[in-house]
Amino acid sequence: MNILVLGSGGREHTFAYKIAESPRCENLFVAPGNAGTALIAENVAISVNDFRAIKQCVLENKIEMVVVGPEGPLVNGIYNYFADSSSLKDVMLIGPSKKGALLEGSKERAKEFMMAHGIPTAAYESFTAENLDEGKSFLETLQSPYVLKADGLAAGKGVLIINDLNEAKTELENMLSHSKFGEASSTVVIEEFLDGIELSVFVLTDGQNYKILPTAKDYKRIGEGDTGLNTGGMGAISPAPFADESLMRKIEDQIVIPTINGLKEEQIDYKGFVFIGLIKVDNEPFVIEYNVRMGDPESEVVLPRIKNDLVDLFEATATQKLDGISLEIDQRAAATVMLVSGGYPEAYDNGKEIIGIEHIGDSIVFHAGTAVKDGVTVTNGGRVIAVTSLDTDFKQALKKSYRNIEELYFDKMYYRTDIGFDL
Ligand code: AMP
Ligand code: GLY
């Protein structure tokens, strides 16, 4: 069958890489893609939010399956756009409906969903400019550090964790009254700080059945030792070594099952990924966020460990037959290290030639922000390349990635040398 992947990052290159391995995939398209996807698929110069152009591309190329990478088009309702179109309604689209995507699109909605379905999460209240003063009083009832979350999508920047009470009050006012994150912070969720170690759990659901995919831990801060600004992610490992059987049982019973049942009870069409961000506090899991897509760079360590044909898995998702699939997981650990442009997550330059990719042997190079310019592969984003390796444990896998990274070079290339340092 012909398949389209929407997106242009490392996550989408990983999807394309796995789908291209499937004997069931005839023609693979990626929109808009990057220099890596161009090697294994046809890149189509269409923005992920241009639904009319996507429709035209799907019809022209007789595409039967669309895999949505990022959250934007999901929150904007691409599932409903397909479902409501007579010519697209039979195309299998992997991703939730607009109502389902609100679990990521609105932090307040996610909290209400968790409360309604008894899913463990931090205590919270939400506020708008109208009740700013109540918000400040609420902060006084909490202990430092203070967690402020812009309700809407804010490109991963909408969460502030602040030690000082007065600074927290000022930031609350900046968010609510001075649009610090634009429309996204017109509502702010203030929640209790949870002290523990983070992990991510990925679930694929067809709306009735679900499969729990391998866990992962990502490293979001730009600096060594988890310091400095937040990024999209500087590296990841899978599985999270501390996610033992007893913790996973709690996560399934207290979080995954109530989440899937909650979607069913609320009659939400959901055929796609649920990415659950968790903090483990004294061996008890709490949800800090839902995402309605796979993670990036978590995809680069989770998907290579799935041995099933991804096209079979997605078809079962779209046709509500996931119960007939048994997951086969590679027991090796995976690690990925992200090479980024100097300056990221603040200003950086594009267009730097990337040297050495052809020398990488026993790691997989997933392109994130790359493009081809005059026949040369160049940087085209903050996060440029993810180097993934599989081995007996995450330390060995990391060693492989770091050894292979020595073959790669671009001007002002930066990466963290301490992924996994805390484990
Ligand atoms: P989010 O965008 O919701 O994933 O939040 C970004 C980061 O803020 C998370 O990865 C956590 O490190 C941190 N965080 C979010 N909520 C909390 C919380 N309630 N307690 C402690 N840390 C949190
Ligand atoms: N790496 C975090 C995310 O994809 O949201």
Side-chain angles (χ1 to χ4, degrees):
M1 82 175 76
N2 295 344
I3 300 173
L4 169 66
V5 175
L6 291 181
S8 62
R11 168 181 50 211
E12 288 76 18
H13 188 192
T14 313
F15 275 129
Y17 172 90
K18 290 293 290 182
I19 291 170
E21 282 179 348
S22 167
R24 299 192 58 201
C25 176
E26 281 167 54
N27 296 296
L28 178 60
F29 301 86
V30 185
N34 59 37
T37 61
L39 299 172
I40 53 172
E42 184 180 327
N43 282 353
V44 196
I46 293 176
S47 137
V48 296
N49 285 305
D50 187 346
F51 294 175
R52 283 174 60 178
I54 292 168
K55 175 177 184 174
Q56 200 183 342
C57 171
V58 166
L59 296 177
E60 269 173 17
N61 295 295
K62 300 192 167 49
I63 285 164
E64 291 175 66
M65 178 183 283
V66 176
V67 181
V68 185
E71 63 279 11
L74 295 168
V75 173
N76 292 336
I78 192 164
Y79 177 94
N80 306 72
Y81 183 86
F82 272 61
D84 295 344
S85 155
S86 56
S87 54
L88 296 178
K89 67 177 179 6
D90 295 326
V91 175
M92 296 181 270
L93 185 126
I94 304 305
S97 62
K98 190 168 186 169
K99 212 170 153 194
L102 257 193
L103 286 183
E104 177 166 358
S106 165
K107 301 265 186 205
E108 186 181 37
R109 159 70 180 140
K111 294 300 271 192
E112 283 167 0
F113 179 87
M114 288 184 255
M115 291 295 160
H117 301 289
I119 295 163
T121 186
Y124 81 106
E125 296 274 347
S126 59
F127 301 93
T128 61
E130 270 89 79
N131 56 4
L132 170 64
D133 289 336
E134 285 168 42
K136 289 181 177 173
S137 307
F138 181 65
L139 282 171
E140 285 170 7
T141 70
L142 299 176
Q143 285 182 355
S144 165
Y146 305 93
V147 183
L148 309 183
K149 298 186 170 184
D151 177 57
L153 293 182
K157 299 197 172 87
V159 176
L160 301 180
I161 297 180
I162 300 168
N163 289 319
D164 180 71
L165 176 61
N166 285 321
E167 194 187 330
K169 288 181 179 175
T170 306
E171 286 295 358
L172 179 66
E173 186 157 349
N174 287 339
M175 288 167 92
L176 291 176
S177 306
H178 308 298
S179 307
K180 179 170 175 125
F181 299 107
E183 186 60 27
S185 65
S186 56
T187 297
V188 171
V189 169
I190 301 180
E191 71 178 30
E192 169 201 9
F193 179 80
L194 298 173
D195 196 5
I197 190 157
E198 281 182 49
L199 78 149
S200 303
V201 170
F202 302 92
V203 179
L204 184 62
T205 182
D206 59 15
Q208 293 292 327
N209 311 287
Y210 66 86
K211 296 285 168 191
I212 299 182
L213 307 177
T215 60
K217 183 171 193 316
D218 84 329
Y219 292 81
K220 287 204 179 75
R221 302 294 195 90
I222 188 72
E224 310 260 312
D226 283 344
T227 54
L229 295 174
N230 254 321
T231 71
M234 297 296 291
I237 57 163
S238 174
F242 53 88
D244 57 16
E245 224 179 289
S246 106
L247 182 67
M248 289 310 291
R249 192 163 311 126
K250 285 182 190 170
I251 291 172
E252 181 161 12
D253 291 344
Q254 298 170 19
I255 294 167
V256 176
I257 293 173
T259 297
I260 303 301
N261 286 342
L263 293 171
K264 279 193 234 177
E265 274 167 37
E266 297 190 26
Q267 297 183 331
I268 294 171
D269 279 341
Y270 206 117
K271 292 170 178 160
F273 294 97
V274 191
F275 162 175
I276 308 173
L278 299 163
I279 295 189
K280 177 175 86 97
V281 185
D282 299 332
N283 229 28
E284 295 301 322
F286 291 84
V287 178
I288 47 168
E289 65 167 345
Y290 285 114
N291 295 305
V292 299
R293 52 172 173 82
M294 275 303 290
D296 191 353
E298 292 90 336
S299 296
E300 289 92 306
V301 289
V302 170
L303 298 177
R305 295 187 60 223
I306 299 177
K307 290 187 182 171
N308 303 65
D309 184 320
L310 214 55
V311 177
D312 288 343
L313 209 52
F314 286 159
E315 184 181 54
T317 302
T319 55
Q320 291 203 316
K321 290 186 179 138
L322 264 185
D323 52 337
I325 296 262
S326 94
L327 272 188
E328 287 174 59
I329 303 303
D330 192 327
Q331 290 309 307
R332 290 176 299 170
T336 199
V337 178
M338 192 64 82
L339 309 183
V340 308
S341 300
Y344 173 79
E346 297 183 287
Y348 58 83
D349 293 327
N350 282 332
K352 309 285 188 190
E353 182 173 357
I354 303 167
I355 293 164
I357 295 177
E358 66 282 8
H359 296 141
I360 305 298
D362 52 356
S363 293
I364 317 170
V365 171
F366 291 121
H367 291 234
T370 66
V372 179
K373 203 169 132 196
D374 305 326
V376 174
T377 303
V378 298
T379 65
N380 189 39
R383 294 192 293 170
V384 177
I385 277 175
V387 180
T388 293
S389 309
L390 289 145
D391 214 313
T392 44
D393 59 41
F394 77 86
K395 286 187 180 145
Q396 292 303 116
L398 278 169
K399 236 186 226 169
K400 245 187 213 174
S401 286
Y402 283 124
R403 180 165 38 76
N404 277 302
I405 285 170
E406 287 176 19
E407 303 287 336
L408 296 170
Y409 173 81
F410 53 86
D411 185 32
K412 300 203 176 75
M413 175 173 115
Y414 169 77
Y415 59 94
R416 273 180 63 171
T417 63
D418 70 340
I419 299 304
F421 78 100
D422 54 340
L423 298 169

